[in-house]
Amino acid sequence: MASFAGLALAVLLTWPTLKQPWTTIPGDIGDPTLQAWQVAWGGHALLTDPLNLWHSNTFFPASYTYVYSDTLLGYAPAGFFGSGVEAAVFRYNLLFVLAYALAFVGAYALVRQLGSSRTAAAVAGIAWAFAPWRLAHSGHLNILSIGGIALCLAMLARGHGWSLRRGHRPALHRPGWIVAGWLVAAWQVSLGFGIGLPLVYVLAGVGLVVAVAIGWARWRRGEWLLERRVVLANLVGGAAFAGVCLWLGITFLRVVELNPQARRDLSWTEMFSPPLRGYFVAPADSWLWGDYFTAARAQLSWPPEMALLPGITLIVLAAVGLSYSVFRVRHRVLLGLGVLVTGALGLGSNLVGQGDPGYLTLSRLLPGWDALRTPGRLMVWTSLLLAILAAGAVTEFGRQLPKLAWPRVVGRIVLLAPLLLVLLEGVNRTPHPTVPPAPAAIQAAAEPMLVLPSDSISELHVMLWSTDGFPRIANGLAAFVPASQEQIRTMSMTFPDQGSVAFLRQSGIRSVVVLPNQLAGTPWDGVATRPLDGLGITREEIAGVFVYHLN
């Protein structure tokens, strides 16, 4: 029932994503088009040439180009079905909706496992999955895909027979759930380290605490807290999880080794660190709060990463849950401390002492943390802890309701009020622009090809267009520019002339596609009118687009 509810809520609260799923895309026509290509390439590579998964058709002739950003590899099986641009866009929209559904189901399952009522779990699930701050990331599927975090924690807690209300119950040990939890965690990490790396360290920290507790119990009372089959399940599942993390981590390190310019210093973190007031500012895509916080957003240097409101209703319920809850006091205190710690880390360099100690300390000490340049995304964890606190309060109210001298109808209305409020806060007004169609000339050009102009957002469109057959292209856009691409871009600015034609041929480029209506104001302005005399190349025009054949 929760899964069906999650799907229905996701379709409703992301609408109109599935209204025209083949031609429009949520957010903007930037990163979503890149991520539509990523999913398509992952499926294509696994089906046709899995040994060359990391070496995509983009950024020719560079290698490891699939790993230039979070890969969304865990979604690759969706790429097994359909081909071409429209299929890639439809696939992305479907995953966009399912990501919200899984976030709801994961949070619902976790909070239920911890001991809350169904109504409270629904409140927590909606508040976490459809939180206002997430609307700022409508163009970042890797950031929206957080459901595996809550779901793996729910599975691990269930497998270990543990909940906040009833503690550890060995009779409820379920090794299968433990292995499943680790596998879901591995899948979550495969969607990207941007969200997955904190999960790695959380699981490592929890594992360390549990190991110390087991050792302490063994030393003081001479008993083992966990059965052999539970330990074995953790070893098997943990090994699979660690293997996936190492595999992906080594691959990303290889990219940095080949492209030293890909390494980010802490100035990036300082630039994206949100101020404290950002936690109380909603993004523009929030239907309920967007207009109200217009002036507040104008004071933020980068609103997409700094408008971090988890929800007014969630904040109020969590505050109530600190003193009025079905959970024990010590658990509430720990949850409250978790909110404070994650919230403080989320401030990045804006924490007292410029984030040291704090987020910047972790960037220096923890492997890979320095690549997480957006501290505000720790709101994933802050809002999850707030949701658990809120669920404790709602559960306690529902438990006490029969003892109150209220009419039954009134009591039910009051109990459902938080559910309606978090639903209201989750309503979006996200734009859904039309995806630029692929020029017919792309199909007529021989690969490897270069599409001009080769800069900014147009590169992402070319990547998406390449999903129709995956021809090798020199185009691509990432957080850094590979040396080979920089050289090709520089030399192609004078195209067509003797030097540029000779260099492109030497680089392996066989054709150049020029989009005349996009050249104005770029370094390639005028390319379409330059003569071809004596260059040994030919040109044809297809629907207003020029294709230059170099061979």
Side-chain angles (χ1 to χ4, degrees):
M1 289 296 293
S3 298
F4 283 120
L7 285 170
L9 286 169
V11 171
L12 176 65
L13 291 177
T14 61
W15 192 260
T17 298
L18 294 184
K19 183 178 181 181
Q20 295 176 303
W22 286 276
T23 56
T24 64
I25 208 161
D28 55 58
I29 53 174
D31 285 344
T33 56
L34 161 67
Q35 294 176 331
W37 167 82
Q38 288 177 317
V39 177
W41 169 259
H44 169 78
L46 290 179
L47 282 177
T48 60
D49 191 7
L51 294 181
N52 284 308
L53 169 66
W54 303 133
H55 312 301
S56 78
N57 68 309
T58 60
F59 295 97
F60 177 85
S63 57
Y64 289 94
T65 53
Y66 186 44
V67 206
Y68 280 2
S69 59
D70 279 347
T71 64
L72 295 175
L73 181 60
Y75 287 144
F80 295 168
F81 309 98
S83 62
V85 176
E86 287 194 351
V89 173
F90 175 81
R91 192 184 298 119
Y92 177 90
N93 285 323
L94 189 60
L95 291 172
F96 180 86
V97 173
L98 291 176
Y100 277 97
L102 183 60
F104 169 82
V105 172
Y108 181 94
L110 175 60
V111 175
R112 282 288 287 155
Q113 174 60 31
L114 295 180
S116 81
S117 65
R118 291 184 176 87
T119 302
V123 170
I126 295 171
W128 193 59
F130 302 97
W133 77 273
R134 281 165 51 80
L135 294 173
H137 294 281
S138 57
H140 299 140
L141 183 58
N142 57 324
I143 307 304
L144 296 176
S145 300
I146 61 175
I149 293 175
L151 189 60
C152 78
L153 295 177
M155 289 177 166
L156 289 171
R158 189 171 186 82
H160 288 88
W162 185 84
S163 72
L164 284 178
R165 288 183 69 178
R166 299 177 179 85
H168 179 222
R169 292 176 290 175
L172 296 182
H173 283 168
R174 297 293 185 271
W177 281 110
I178 295 172
V179 174
W182 283 112
L183 294 179
V184 170
W187 173 79
Q188 177 68 54
V189 171
S190 75
L191 296 177
F193 276 122
I195 292 298
L197 190 59
L199 174 64
V200 173
Y201 284 114
V202 166
L203 291 176
V206 172
L208 180 61
V209 170
V210 171
V212 170
I214 292 174
W216 178 260
R218 177 65 175 173
W219 180 68
R220 291 294 301 270
R221 299 193 297 269
E223 62 181 19
W224 292 106
L225 292 180
L226 298 179
E227 302 168 336
R228 180 176 300 177
R229 60 184 185 140
V230 172
V231 174
L232 182 61
N234 278 293
L235 289 175
V236 172
F241 175 73
V244 170
C245 293
L246 287 174
W247 177 51
L248 294 173
I250 290 172
T251 306
F252 276 103
L253 289 175
R254 179 59 176 160
V255 171
V256 176
E257 179 185 348
L258 294 173
N259 303 274
Q261 70 274 29
R263 189 177 297 278
R264 299 163 178 169
D265 59 32
L266 295 183
S267 64
W268 287 84
T269 301
E270 294 168 357
M271 179 173 64
F272 288 116
S273 294
L276 180 60
R277 66 178 180 275
Y279 288 155
F280 305 97
V281 178
D285 286 358
S286 171
W287 174 80
L288 182 63
W289 301 119
D291 290 338
Y292 182 81
F293 286 101
T294 300
R297 281 194 306 275
Q299 299 176 21
L300 301 175
S301 58
W302 191 255
E305 296 290 352
M306 297 180 181
L308 297 167
L309 180 70
I312 301 296
T313 305
L314 181 61
I315 292 174
V316 171
L317 289 175
V320 172
L322 287 171
S323 58
Y324 177 82
S325 176
V326 73
F327 301 137
R328 298 171 185 172
V329 173
R330 67 174 182 270
H331 292 150
R332 283 179 261 159
V333 170
L334 289 174
L335 289 169
L337 288 175
V339 170
L340 293 177
V341 170
T342 56
L345 291 174
L347 295 175
S349 62
N350 285 325
L351 185 63
V352 176
Q354 296 186 330
D356 192 9
Y359 193 92
L360 269 64
T361 309
L362 299 182
S363 296
R364 282 191 281 269
L365 297 180
L366 299 182
W369 200 275
D370 58 331
L372 306 182
R373 55 178 177 161
T374 48
R377 294 178 183 179
L378 286 180
M379 179 53 71
V380 169
W381 293 93
T382 306
S383 56
L384 182 59
L385 295 171
L386 288 171
I388 296 171
L389 279 170
V394 175
T395 301
E396 179 63 14
F397 179 78
R399 197 170 68 92
Q400 296 295 331
L401 194 57
K403 302 177 183 178
L404 301 177
W406 292 3
R408 187 173 182 179
V409 174
V410 173
R412 289 186 177 275
I413 292 175
V414 173
L415 189 60
L416 290 176
L419 192 64
L420 297 176
L421 289 173
V422 292
L423 271 172
L424 192 62
E425 289 197 80
V427 177
N428 82 90
R429 56 177 186 183
T430 301
H432 286 69
T434 300
V435 176
I442 297 286
Q443 289 299 309
E447 62 164 330
M449 74 180 75
L450 169 65
V451 180
L452 298 178
S454 176
D455 66 348
S456 69
I457 194 174
S458 64
E459 295 285 77
L460 302 180
H461 301 161
V462 177
M463 296 173 79
L464 176 62
W465 296 339
S466 75
T467 57
D468 191 356
F470 294 96
R472 289 169 293 172
I473 56 177
N475 302 80
L477 187 65
F480 66 95
V481 180
S484 58
Q485 186 182 47
E486 181 67 30
Q487 291 176 330
I488 290 174
R489 284 179 173 176
T490 301
M491 293 300 297
S492 66
M493 291 176 186
T494 60
F495 181 85
D497 63 2
Q498 290 287 356
S500 61
V501 171
F503 178 82
L504 293 176
R505 283 173 172 166
Q506 183 180 5
S507 299
I509 302 296
R510 296 182 58 198
S511 59
V512 177
V513 178
V514 176
L515 309 175
N517 63 339
Q518 297 184 23
L519 295 176
T522 74
W524 296 271
D525 197 355
V527 165
T529 60
R530 293 172 188 164
L532 309 181
D533 300 340
L535 298 179
I537 64 176
T538 60
R539 181 180 70 182
E540 65 174 316
E541 182 178 353
I542 302 175
V545 175
F546 295 113
V547 179
Y548 294 77
H549 302 281
L550 306 188
N551 295 329

